[in-house]
Amino acid sequence: MADASAKPLRLLLGFDYGSKQIGVAVGQAITGQARELCVLKAQNGVPDWQKVEALLREWQPDAIVVGLPLNMDGTPSEMSARAEKFARRLNGRFNLPVHTHDERLTTYAAKGERLQQGQNGGYRERPVDALAAALLLEGWLAEHAPS
């Protein structure tokens, strides 16, 4: 969807797409690190676009990365098609480069991190979606680091 070599990337927003919640993270290309920002509520995968726009205005990212929920064998899932549609909508609405990235096991890894921090369940009250967004964004940054 976007040519990664078109413009130097400094700041990116990552989205962990879900039908009820969408995790958002911000990352820096220079450090390759990302941190969780927030979780946006969604209705059947559709966020409040004004909140998305507010995040983009506040952070002014050079690009966006949307997690692609593939099956464990690497084949597309039903959610993959929905995440790709979300990515196209972000690109169409905000005219920013949008990339997708394999997000397999990021939610699992995020839950593992929270367990290490002492959280045992309670993911409804303290969701891991934004942390999963940070992990997938770091994965994309690591894959696209300048050599």
Side-chain angles (χ1 to χ4, degrees), residues 59-72:
W59 290 96
Q60 299 181 11
D62 298 308
I64 296 169
V65 177
V66 175
L68 196 57
L70 300 171
N71 291 316
M72 289 309 292

Side-chain angles (χ1 to χ4, degrees), residues 21-22 24 34 39 47 49 53 60 62 66 68 71 75 79 83 90 96 103 133 136-137 143 145 147:
Q21 298 185 139
I22 299 170
V24 185
V39 175
W49 288 108
E53 184 176 359
Q60 299 181 11
D62 298 308
V66 175
L68 196 57
N71 291 316
T75 59
M79 282 300 284
L90 283 167
L96 282 169
E103 67 163 35
L136 74 89
L137 186 50
E143 249 180 49
S147 40

Side-chain angles (χ1 to χ4, degrees), residues 40-54:
L40 300 173
K41 295 292 179 199
Q43 289 198 321
N44 200 22
V46 179
D48 178 338
W49 288 108
Q50 289 180 328
K51 289 185 178 179
V52 174
E53 184 176 359

Side-chain angles (χ1 to χ4, degrees), residues 5 24 28 31-32 46 49 55-56 64 72 74 78 84 90 100 102 104 107 115 117-118 124:
S5 64
V24 185
Q28 292 185 334
T31 64
V46 179
W49 288 108
L55 284 167
L56 294 173
I64 296 169
M72 289 309 292
E78 179 189 328
E84 287 178 324
L90 283 167
T100 56
D102 180 359
R104 281 179 287 181
T107 299
L115 274 172
Q117 297 167 358
R124 216 175 274 253

Side-chain angles (χ1 to χ4, degrees), residues 131-143:
L131 182 53
L135 294 173
L136 74 89
L137 186 50
E138 285 180 350
W140 188 91
L141 288 165
E143 249 180 49

